[in-house]
Amino acid sequence: MPEIHVEELKKDPEFLANIKRLEEECKAEESIAKGYQLLDAQLVIEADEDEINEIFTYIVNTAFDKLSQYLVEHRSFDMTDEEERAIARAIYEHAIQRYSENDRKAAKEMFLVLHHTMDHQGLKDAMMIHASAVMSGMDFDDFIDNLVDVGDVDPNDPLALFIQSFVQPNDILLTMYAKYVAQGKEELKVLEEDKHVS
């Protein structure tokens, strides 16, 4: 990988014009995928922390707006679509942050909603395992240290941002956590019932 010269990039008119264009497109299209590209570009040039926080806030708020819309329309995230994957990623990263800050209720709810809205069986199972770990009282560090298999990540996989490799096969973990899986599915029934009402 070529070495990135931050100071040169900060003065590069083409790079700065690209950032400006991304910013405009991101807001005009309400695109979370472009929001992440903008965030990456700002991180590369070590932009002001406030600017980075502003982009991150925009990503999270827009993702939750879109999630609400999907839930109302009973749509799932198409995990092969870059924009929909970016929406799911923003919610997932927010859930992981909540979990790491010990806000278990919010983390569990977000993992369950992701389980409900992702159209990818491996990820659905992984989100249920996340939610079950939270419900079982496992803290975030134990989850990462004892449950997640960090060695089995393919950096070229567009879904690699989501933890989906564990020290045990998913089906075994889901069986071990059967009580919490049942509880999670019970909580998700509200979303299923909404579907029948509308």
Side-chain angles (χ1 to χ4, degrees):
M1 218 176 129
E3 196 182 330
I4 296 169
H5 296 286
V6 174
E7 292 310 315
E8 285 173 29
L9 276 180
K10 282 181 180 176
K11 297 182 191 99
D12 181 338
E14 194 181 332
F15 186 78
L16 295 174
N18 280 340
I19 285 186
K20 191 83 198 125
R21 180 181 51 79
L22 254 180
E23 217 169 292
E24 287 161 5
E25 287 176 4
C26 164
K27 296 229 160 78
E29 298 166 22
E30 291 189 355
S31 168
I32 294 171
K34 286 188 174 163
Y36 272 116
Q37 290 170 11
L38 183 61
L39 186 66
D40 291 342
Q42 295 284 28
L43 288 169
V44 164
I45 61 166
E46 296 164 359
D48 182 56
E49 197 178 321
D50 288 344
E51 269 179 70
I52 287 168
N53 287 339
E54 193 181 315
I55 299 165
F56 197 70
T57 302
Y58 166 80
I59 288 172
V60 171
N61 290 346
T62 309
F64 276 98
D65 290 346
K66 294 201 175 183
L67 172 65
S68 304
Q69 199 180 324
Y70 277 53
L71 288 172
V72 167
E73 295 168 6
H74 301 290
R75 279 174 59 193
S76 296
F77 292 125
D78 174 356
M79 298 308 285
T80 60
D81 178 88
E82 184 187 16
E83 184 61 33
E84 297 195 13
R85 204 167 47 237
I87 300 170
R89 170 188 172 183
I91 291 156
Y92 177 70
E93 287 177 348
H94 192 66
I96 286 287
Q97 185 187 349
R98 298 260 62 89
Y99 190 8
S100 71
E101 291 168 358
N102 219 10
D103 180 355
R104 294 188 183 179
K105 184 179 184 296
K108 175 198 73 173
E109 286 168 1
M110 283 183 258
F111 292 137
L112 285 174
V113 165
L114 284 168
H115 164 80
H116 178 75
T117 48
M118 288 173 154
D119 73 343
H120 181 289
Q121 196 52 52
L123 283 172
K124 281 175 109 55
D125 291 348
M127 292 307 117
M128 186 55 87
I129 291 166
H130 282 64
S132 298
V134 175
M135 287 188 266
S136 75
M138 183 182 286
D139 74 23
F140 180 72
D141 292 336
D142 284 345
F143 172 72
I144 297 296
D145 296 343
N146 303 326
L147 208 56
V148 176
D149 179 0
V150 284
D152 187 28
V153 175
D154 173 4
N156 301 317
D157 178 359
L159 301 175
L161 293 157
F162 301 93
I163 295 171
Q164 49 190 319
S165 299
F166 301 96
V167 291
Q168 300 263 15
N170 288 359
D171 54 345
I172 290 177
L173 285 171
L174 290 167
T175 304
M176 280 169 49
Y177 282 133
K179 177 175 104 178
Y180 301 111
V181 170
Q183 195 181 319
K185 288 190 169 159
E186 190 59 38
E187 288 184 33
L188 284 169
K189 275 188 179 159
V190 179
L191 297 174
E192 289 298 329
E193 281 159 14
D194 285 354
K195 189 188 294 187
H196 302 304
V197 171
S198 56

